[in-house]
Structures are given as C-alpha cells and as structure tokens.
C-alpha cells in the first residue's frame, strides 16, 4: 500500500469518526444524514434539513479541486440550486484542521 493510499484510508477514518461523534448534534438540529456510500475507495454522506442540502465526499479523485475531501452546501434561490458553501482539503490540510473545517461547515449549514 502506497503512502497516499495509507493517508486516504486515515482521512476516511477521521471523517467517519467525525460523523459518528456528531450524530447527536445532527439529531438535535434536525439534520437528516444518509450514508450514500461507504466502500474501500470512498465515503459519501448527504445531509439535509428544511433549508438546504449538503454533501460530504471522501475519495481519491483524479480530477478534482481537492485532495480527498469535499464538503458542499446547496440552497435553492429563485428555483435554482446554488452552492452556498464549499470547503476542500489540500496537501497541507492537517487532521485537526479537517475536523475543524467539517464542524465549521455543518455549523454554517445549521445557521442558514
């Protein structure tokens, strides 16, 4: 297993752990969470409430503006979906920063 594959596996585990740690927060804030994919090569979760939808993706994408993690929130404005928040990791994103950014994003989602 290459270093990149080991790092991907570790990042994926951190994101899954973050989701599990925040289950009560999601429930208390009326956020529905649905794990769309949890496989060796990726993890995808959707969040929704009465205001917006969000998607958290962990994958080894070849052509993407992120290293492994994408977090996007979409709202509807004038009957059109609009990305109102996005965060993507990069080569310098620390494990601590990853959790902080996911928390920042979900807090933004709650406060829409």
């Amino acid at each position: 297993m290459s270093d990149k594959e080991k790092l991907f596996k570790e990042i994926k585990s951190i994101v899954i752990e973050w989701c599990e740690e925040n289950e009560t927060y999601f429930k208390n804030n009326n956020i529905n969470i649905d794990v769309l994919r949890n496989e060796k090569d990726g993890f995808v979760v959707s969040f929704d409430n009465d205001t917006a939808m969000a998607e958290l993706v962990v994958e080894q994408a070849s052509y993407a503006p992120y290293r492994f993690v994408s977090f996007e929130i979409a709202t509807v404005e004038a009957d059109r979906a609009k990305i109102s928040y996005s965060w993507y990791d990069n080569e310098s994103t620390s494990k601590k920063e990853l959790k902080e950014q996911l928390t920042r994003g979900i807090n933004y989602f709650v406060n829409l």
Side-chain angles (χ1 to χ4, degrees):
M1 183 180 299
S2 72
D3 288 345
K4 184 175 181 179
E5 288 171 328
K6 287 177 188 174
L7 180 59
F8 170 75
K9 191 174 179 181
E10 187 175 354
I11 296 294
K12 181 180 157 210
S13 293
I14 289 168
V15 171
I16 291 170
E17 178 182 284
W18 176 85
C19 288
E20 291 169 351
E21 290 170 351
N22 286 283
E23 283 180 0
T24 301
Y25 181 78
F26 302 147
K27 186 175 181 181
N28 290 343
N29 287 284
N30 299 314
I31 299 172
N32 300 312
I33 180 172
D34 188 20
V35 176
L36 304 175
R37 185 168 142 225
N38 186 2
E39 299 169 1
K40 179 182 175 186
D41 64 340
F43 181 71
V44 179
V45 179
S46 70
F47 303 91
D48 68 84
N49 60 18
D50 293 335
T51 310
M53 294 177 58
E55 186 175 67
L56 173 58
V57 177
V58 183
E59 65 183 356
Q60 293 188 63
S62 300
Y63 302 102
Y66 53 89
R67 177 179 57 173
F68 299 127
V69 182
S70 164
F71 186 79
E72 297 179 330
I73 299 172
T75 54
V76 176
E77 294 180 16
D79 295 327
R80 297 187 75 181
K82 175 187 172 192
I83 300 295
S84 60
Y85 179 94
S86 60
W87 178 80
Y88 310 105
D89 75 335
N90 61 45
E91 300 298 326
S92 65
T93 303
S94 69
K95 296 163 192 162
K96 180 182 176 192
E97 182 185 1
L98 172 60
K99 281 189 168 186
E100 289 171 353
Q101 291 294 341
L102 294 176
T103 300
R104 181 177 293 149
I106 207 67
N107 287 336
Y108 179 89
F109 183 79
V110 166
N111 292 303
L112 281 172

